[in-house]
Amino acid sequence: METLHPVTAVDVADALRSASSRGVDVLPVGGRRHLDKGNPGPVDVELWTTQLDGVVSYEPAEMIATVGGGMRIGTLQATLAEGGQEWPVDAPGDATVGGVIAAGASSPRRLRVGAVRDSVLRVEIVTGDGRIVRAGAPTVKQSAGYGITRAIVGSLGTLGVITEVALKVRPLPRARRAVIAEGPGLDLGAGMLAAVPFAAAVLADPGRVVASLEGWPDEIEEQTDAARRVADVIVDDDAGVPVAVESFPDAPILAEASVAPSQLGAVLDGRTTWRAALGVGTAWVGVRDLDELDALRRRATDAGGIAPVIRGVGGLGPAPAAARDVTLRLRAAFDPAGVLSRGRFWGASFH
Amino acid sequence: MADPAAARRALEAALGAENVLADPLALQLYARDASMVAGSAGLVAFPRSTDDAVACVRAASAHGMAIVPRGAGTGLAGGATPVGDPLVVVSSKMRRILEVRTEDRLAWVEPGVPNLDLSNHLASLGWTYAPDPSSQQTSTIGGNVNTNAGGPHCLAYGVTAAHVLALDVVLSDGTVARLGSEGPETGGYDLRGLVVGSEGTLGIVTAVCVRIAPRPPAIRTLLLDFTAVADAAETVSEVIARGVVPAAVEMMDQGITIAAERFAHAGYPIDAAAILLVELEGLASTVDVQSREVESAARSHGVRTIRVATDDAERALIWKGRKSAFGAVAQIAPHYHLHDCVVPRTKLAEVLTGIYAIAERHDLVVTNVFHAGDGNLHPLFSFDLREPGTLERVLAAADEVVRLCVAAGGAISGEHGIGLEKRDFMPLVFSDDDLAAMACVRSAFDPDGRMNPMKVLPDGARCGDFAAARGHDVARVAADLPAGSWI
């Protein structure tokens, strides 16, 4: 297998044009932290984005940072911290911006900070046949043309290689705190969610609940008081926010279930290794093998949701039924030779 | 060949004669939206259900008509203006709030529900739907979805795209697809995200699942007045630099403040060069600390007075002036042309100066009321179309405003969309390949170009230029995939 290390979008375009004309399969690779999602098959060429790692522009007063798609999350957050800001994802420091976007890896703090797709203002991608395409604008809002930025988020490298992005960033909270209560997580958590306004996250485990608070110091005290009214809590001002893909390191397979929030209980019932984001509907579930994964997926499907694997084997899960033709035509238009991220798709067999 | 008479018969049979209009008055009524461009409608239909909307698509397809989906017609870019006698599909008979599920933080609504009706209904339950375009009394959720509408409160909470979980869409082939889901993520590409902001060119939205949130426990509205526009603009940047993101930051210049005050009697200082309305939301302690930061930032930029609304009635009054501003300008002149572009927040003062110069050059009255926190400008030119040559001056000024915003590093639309009015400006900010990629998105949904033709993309933007000309086809890609799979 060959590896490519482009340093500009034009390099990427040259490489992909050539790959498309020769029918060579290419896998775009960033920090390899979200690569299990969609379990890409073996390829001829890995295209490493990690040299596309510059800061194009960063103006704290605009709350926008434009950076290369291969920039490491740790480097980005350090840069933003100098401006008192953050890009609200909680990914491993060696993951790349483009990887987080391609995987659609939203923060466990999504309840307050929103989804990753809503923080991407502009993308520059190189399509499978080597066209450089930009969509969106480097402004905090825009309504000009189609939302290609949103379609790129979670597209797993099948529509193009992300070479540059403009990100909507936010002020770093002045203070953070974890408020922890022991007991049945979903039940305690439901009370906490109702009682504590503007929590960044209410994360339930089988035996406890952790509310992540962030903001101004007075705000956190007010939230803590609210939490104390519904549960016996302890506080931890040094606890970080968990990183989704690093959850349950001993579990061979980590799935990320996604259902309407009220369905979390039905999906998780009887399981022992999980953490659920209440009010959001995401649950990270550790499973031992593919049979357990199948059982989890059936429950997620019954609840109207999905459960792709984000670490280990097991793929994404069944193909969605809606608008299949539209999806195929999109893929064909952006990667006519079908050389990008082969095998990384919904409905793929992985056994 | 288009056969409107046959389409009419088919639709009358499917929807009932009372839900199909073809008389000249109706066709004229639906020949335009709130923009300056008039078109021509061939037939008007009022579906009451998704099935009815499917019947509309089938009838149009069978009888060679294009389709223009439409909500309340408050759009300012001509997105709902029919071109070439198409079937106009109006959502006004689909205006039920289907369900509100607070445990799932969502509500399902039909597309014709006015934004404010949903907001009021949720408020009675202690919940909110964040997007609040100024047109919210009239404009519909379906229209808001199609323009990716904003509003003052999108500064803190994001535009419509961030608040739409799922959509039921009738596609151009007459099939119905649920795009997105009630959960946070969906398998496959984010087709929901493509339909949001697509101005009716990708399908007919027949149901919308929106994200709702509990109403914040504390809200405070401040009115700041300045003797220089630049001071107001710099205050906005400084507030952000201090790490405060208010729920809303709106700016009004002197001209609009005077007009709004005459109309709303909100107690606005009419001798101010600019006023800022700042709304803070959150916990009581958050609002206190943010209020101190805002006041301190304003003082460092020479604020003259700071008025804090002391109760809900005063808050409502302060907002009434802002939200009725576009109506209030009728006092200045009978007609107006409202623009929508976005510039970097730090360029606000500079671009406003440029806009005043453009107005002066073209002998037009310009007033400004806009979402300062987002850098989303809404310069409003007032004029009397009965004066010869006025329209030419207005359009020339419009052209210069768009170019000024683009030169400042901005976007050609913040929340109104492209429609007909701005499609020829698209090449100012997008390359041929960018536009071809957009055309590919469009043709992926609507290969025959039946949905709202002529809108959004300039003439000449074709997906074929991008890919198809080089010999690929869907079958080739599909053949690579196992049966039932989804890229």
Side-chain angles (χ1 to χ4, degrees):
Chain A
M1 190 194 61
E2 193 185 344
T3 59
L4 299 176
H5 300 267
V7 296
T8 66
V10 172
D11 293 347
V12 177
D14 289 343
L16 292 183
R17 206 177 299 118
S18 160
S20 270
S21 66
R22 294 180 293 130
V24 171
D25 292 333
V26 178
L27 180 66
V29 173
R32 312 191 87 89
R33 290 305 204 129
H34 300 93
L35 210 50
D36 281 0
K37 188 172 183 184
N39 299 133
V43 293
D44 309 311
V45 173
E46 277 189 359
L47 187 152
W48 290 36
T49 62
T50 45
Q51 304 288 309
L52 298 156
D53 64 347
V55 176
V56 178
S57 67
Y58 172 47
E59 176 61 60
E62 299 296 344
M63 294 201 299
I64 295 171
T66 302
V67 302
M71 175 172 272
R72 306 276 183 180
I73 294 295
T75 312
L76 172 69
Q77 301 293 30
T79 305
L80 298 176
E82 288 172 20
Q85 294 175 338
E86 64 160 350
W87 185 40
V89 299
D90 293 281
D94 58 351
T96 60
V97 172
V100 168
I101 292 171
S106 290
S107 164
R109 293 181 285 151
R110 184 170 178 164
L111 184 64
R112 177 144 181 180
V113 302
V116 67
R117 65 173 174 246
D118 295 319
S119 70
V120 182
L121 301 171
R122 183 180 202 232
V123 291
E124 177 190 80
I125 59 166
V126 179
T127 60
D129 55 346
R131 301 272 185 137
I132 298 173
V133 168
R134 290 175 173 175
T139 50
V140 288
K141 68 200 264 202
Q142 62 228 303
S143 183
Y146 298 100
I148 291 175
T149 48
R150 293 187 283 276
I152 294 301
V153 179
S155 65
L156 297 169
T158 61
L159 295 177
V161 176
I162 299 166
T163 49
E164 190 184 300
V165 291
L167 304 170
K168 184 175 174 181
V169 302
R170 69 196 287 272
L172 269 172
R174 302 292 171 97
R176 292 182 194 271
R177 170 175 292 172
V179 172
I180 303 154
E182 303 291 332
L186 290 178
D187 292 342
L188 268 182
M192 201 87 93
L193 183 68
V196 183
F198 290 99
V202 178
L203 301 176
D205 291 357
R208 67 174 195 165
V209 62
V210 180
S212 295
L213 311 179
E214 59 179 53
W216 306 79
D218 290 355
E219 178 178 17
I220 283 182
E221 294 301 335
E222 194 179 342
Q223 289 173 311
T224 307
D225 290 345
R228 287 206 165 103
R229 286 195 282 276
V230 293
D232 290 328
V233 300
I234 56 165
V235 302
D236 180 349
D237 288 350
D238 299 316
V241 176
V243 172
V245 290
E246 292 175 350
S247 305
F248 312 117
D250 297 335
I253 297 172
L254 179 66
E256 186 177 88
S258 178
V259 292
S262 66
Q263 300 301 307
L264 283 168
V267 172
L268 298 171
D269 187 35
R271 300 200 161 272
T272 54
T273 310
W274 51 265
R275 180 183 300 126
L278 305 190
V280 173
T282 308
W284 297 277
V285 186
V287 296
R288 278 171 301 202
D289 53 36
L290 295 175
D291 289 340
E292 269 196 25
L293 178 66
D294 281 345
L296 173 70
R297 281 212 173 122
R298 272 197 300 277
R299 287 208 181 171
T301 305
D302 290 346
I306 55 173
V309 167
I310 60 171
R311 196 187 64 230
V313 297
L316 298 167
R324 171 182 163 81
D325 289 350
V326 175
T327 289
L328 291 177
R329 287 192 288 257
L330 273 179
R331 161 81 165 159
F334 281 78
D335 181 21
V339 295
L340 280 176
S341 303
R342 226 174 150 78
R344 238 180 154 184
F345 49 79
W346 293 81
S349 165
F350 54 85
H351 289 279
Chain B
M1 263 311 280
D3 187 349
R8 179 182 177 182
R9 285 191 298 277
L11 282 171
E12 285 179 348
L15 274 60
E18 71 279 15
N19 293 312
V20 184
L21 296 177
D23 60 283
L25 185 63
L27 295 183
Q28 199 181 351
L29 193 60
Y30 288 94
R32 62 183 314 157
D33 54 17
S35 68
M36 305 232 308
V37 264
S40 60
L43 198 57
V44 184
F46 301 85
R48 293 152 304 166
S49 64
T50 299
D51 285 349
D52 281 358
V54 169
C56 290
V57 171
R58 295 225 167 105
S61 173
H63 303 291
M65 297 181 82
I67 291 173
V68 176
R70 172 193 166 108
T74 56
L76 290 158
T81 297
V83 180
D85 301 324
L87 169 65
V88 179
V89 178
V90 190
S91 67
S92 59
K93 292 192 180 179
M94 296 182 75
R95 52 191 302 159
R96 289 177 299 165
I97 295 170
L98 299 169
E99 60 174 332
V100 176
R101 298 210 317 255
T102 55
E103 72 277 19
D104 284 327
R105 300 185 168 226
L106 63 82
W108 277 100
V109 303
E110 290 186 325
V113 172
N115 176 294
L116 192 60
D117 284 12
L118 176 61
S119 294
N120 287 341
H121 180 70
L122 292 172
S124 72
L125 306 172
W127 287 70
T128 64
Y129 172 66
D132 59 341
S134 299
S135 59
Q136 70 181 149
Q137 271 191 310
T138 321
S139 70
T140 63
I141 297 295
N144 293 173
V145 166
N146 271 294
T147 50
N148 194 11
H153 287 82
C154 290
L155 174 57
Y157 302 113
V159 290
T160 298
H163 301 277
V164 173
L165 290 168
L167 298 168
D168 284 350
V169 181
V170 181
L171 300 172
S172 66
D173 62 1
T175 59
V176 179
R178 173 157 297 183
L179 307 179
S181 69
E182 293 182 350
E185 296 294 332
T186 316
Y189 297 137
D190 183 12
L191 303 181
R192 168 213 64 97
L194 287 172
V195 171
V196 175
S198 66
E199 306 192 42
T201 63
L202 303 185
I204 302 177
V205 172
T206 57
V208 184
C209 180
V210 298
R211 197 161 64 82
I212 62 174
R215 191 167 46 192
I219 303 176
R220 186 175 302 170
T221 305
L222 293 84
L223 193 158
L224 315 172
D225 98 79
F226 297 86
T227 52
V229 170
D231 288 339
E234 281 162 22
T235 297
V236 177
S237 288
E238 171 143 1
V239 166
I240 301 290
R242 287 176 182 231
V244 176
V245 182
V249 178
E250 300 287 296
M251 194 192 296
M252 297 167 69
D253 71 4
Q254 186 171 21
I256 202 83
T257 301
I258 291 170
E261 176 60 19
R262 279 194 194 131
F263 180 83
H265 308 293
Y268 290 164
I270 55 172
D271 57 341
I275 63 173
L276 287 180
L277 305 189
V278 179
E279 189 146 280
L280 304 166
E281 291 186 353
L283 288 99
S285 55
T286 322
V287 167
D288 281 341
V289 65
Q290 294 194 339
S291 183
R292 284 198 295 275
E293 293 288 339
V294 170
E295 291 176 34
S296 155
R299 282 202 194 90
S300 68
H301 292 284
V303 68
R304 197 168 56 168
T305 58
I306 298 175
R307 173 177 161 198
V308 180
T310 51
D311 55 28
D312 279 355
E314 190 177 3
R315 236 192 94 231
L317 187 62
I318 287 178
W319 275 108
K320 183 184 173 195
R322 161 64 184 89
K323 295 218 169 181
S324 57
F326 297 136
V329 297
Q331 305 160 61
I332 299 174
H335 304 109
Y336 71 77
H337 192 202
L338 177 66
H339 293 266
D340 166 40
C341 64
V342 192
V343 299
R345 206 178 274 124
T346 47
K347 300 265 178 74
L348 275 175
E350 173 190 329
V351 173
L352 276 171
T353 304
I355 287 170
Y356 290 130
I358 290 169
E360 195 169 334
R361 259 199 312 282
H362 295 282
D363 194 21
L364 293 165
V365 176
V366 69
T367 50
N368 287 278
V369 48
F370 58 95
H371 314 308
D374 291 324
N376 189 182
L377 289 161
H378 286 320
L380 188 151
F381 292 95
S382 296
F383 46 87
D384 186 343
L385 276 179
R386 292 165 299 188
E387 292 170 14
T390 300
L391 187 61
E392 289 70 23
R393 286 187 286 128
V394 170
L395 294 177
D399 185 271
E400 288 179 33
V401 167
V402 172
R403 287 171 199 278
L404 178 67
C405 292
V406 170
I412 62 174
S413 171
E415 55 188 11
H416 296 175
I418 299 302
L420 277 175
E421 201 166 79
K422 282 190 171 158
R423 56 182 210 136
D424 293 329
F425 290 119
M426 291 285 273
L428 280 182
V429 282
F430 294 112
S431 72
D432 288 350
D433 277 347
D434 301 344
L435 293 170
M438 289 190 196
C440 288
V441 168
R442 185 174 189 150
S443 61
F445 279 83
D446 179 20
D448 302 326
R450 207 165 274 293
M451 301 300 307
N452 209 2
M454 311 283 291
K455 309 296 169 60
V456 183
L457 297 175
D459 281 343
R462 281 188 201 88
C463 181
D465 298 342
F466 183 63
R470 281 162 289 124
H472 84 279
D473 59 45
V474 173
R476 153 104 175 76
V477 173
D480 292 343
L481 301 174
S485 67
W486 200 270
I487 301 161

